[in-house]
Amino acid sequence: MLIIGPPGSGKGTQAERISERLSVAAISTGDIFRAHVKGGTPLGVEAGKYMDAGDFVPDSVTNEMVRSRLSQDDVDNGFLLDGYPRTVAQIDYLDGVLAARELTLDVVLQLTADDEELVERLLGRARETGRSDDNEAVIRHRLDLYHEQTEAVVATYARRTILTRVDGIGAIDEVTDRVMDAIGSPGTAALVRAP
Ligand code: AMP
């Protein structure tokens, strides 16, 4: 399963909850990058420059990191990938990695939210956590990239008829309930169709 949403849509929070309920591994490219930045690894030093500016980390770094993570055994029981793919080129790469591992995607979940709501939320998060990519100019740049690049990813999965959209505005529990209703039981035919 994939979870896709604009910055501030709560996808990280929902991803953790969904992965717990479905007992599948949650894999967040943003979290992996932040762990590298914190640890001061060469990958973290490289990625951090892009993250602070709100830019995408280059595919040469990101793709290999995802391939390596998806080669671990825990994904055989299912996985929830959060934050990848963000570009159409990353879809192609992911298709190849999944095919090589004989894995298929059951569902792609998009969390939706209005831009101005997201800016407000992210500015609030910046005050609470001091995340270095949460200032207004960077936030707006990340939203622009989402519209310019990641909406094409969503459209691709809609064409593959594995997309479901859920309104990400509301209390965290409410959104989780909406998500669980929308995705049903993974592995069943009733799963998901693009709305
Ligand atoms: P996130 O926590 O998902 O918002 O990701 C934080 C930052 O990590 C993004 O703004 C990008 O700089 C970087 N990042 C995460 N996932 C990707 C990806 N799939 N491709 C490129 N950059 C990414």
Side-chain angles (χ1 to χ4, degrees):
M1 172 171 169
L2 307 181
I3 184 165
I4 301 179
S9 59
K11 68 186 165 55
T13 305
Q14 295 301 332
E16 274 172 30
R17 292 170 153 231
I18 300 161
S19 77
E20 260 169 41
R21 295 206 189 179
L22 303 180
S23 301
V24 297
I27 303 171
S28 154
T29 45
D31 282 352
I32 302 174
F33 282 135
R34 279 185 288 277
H36 277 281
V37 169
K38 207 171 164 197
T41 69
L43 191 154
V45 172
E46 175 70 8
K49 293 184 273 187
Y50 296 94
M51 295 167 77
D52 283 348
D55 286 324
F56 290 160
V57 178
D59 284 357
S60 54
V61 177
T62 309
N63 286 344
E64 173 53 25
M65 188 178 84
V66 170
R67 194 199 57 73
S68 159
R69 180 62 186 85
L70 289 177
S71 71
Q72 292 177 23
D73 290 342
D74 61 343
V75 305
D76 290 339
N77 298 325
F79 63 91
L80 170 54
L81 194 49
D82 159 11
Y84 184 97
R86 268 170 148 97
T87 64
V88 171
Q90 291 182 359
I91 297 183
D92 293 340
Y93 188 83
L94 180 63
D95 284 344
V97 171
L98 295 179
R101 295 275 276 112
E102 296 185 354
L103 295 167
T104 49
L105 290 176
D106 292 324
V107 51
V108 176
L109 173 74
Q110 182 192 22
L111 281 185
T112 59
D114 168 76
D115 275 10
E116 292 314 310
E117 172 91 18
L118 293 168
V119 172
E120 282 312 306
R121 278 192 188 183
L122 287 167
L123 289 173
R125 185 168 84 183
R127 283 188 289 273
E128 281 163 27
T129 68
R131 230 176 90 157
S132 56
D133 54 356
D134 275 351
N135 69 66
E136 184 159 356
V138 172
I139 288 167
R140 292 207 181 267
H141 179 56
R142 289 164 63 213
L143 277 170
D144 287 345
L145 276 183
Y146 180 80
H147 293 305
E148 285 162 16
Q149 308 248 7
T150 309
E151 278 175 359
V153 171
V154 172
T156 302
Y157 289 118
R159 282 195 295 276
R160 294 184 186 183
T161 69
I162 55 170
L163 180 78
T164 190
R165 289 193 176 90
V166 168
D167 179 2
I169 299 296
I172 292 174
D173 285 341
E174 269 171 39
V175 177
T176 307
D177 288 345
R178 272 180 224 149
V179 168
M180 297 311 296
D181 281 351
I183 64 179
S185 308
T188 65
L191 194 56
V192 177
R193 291 292 168 256

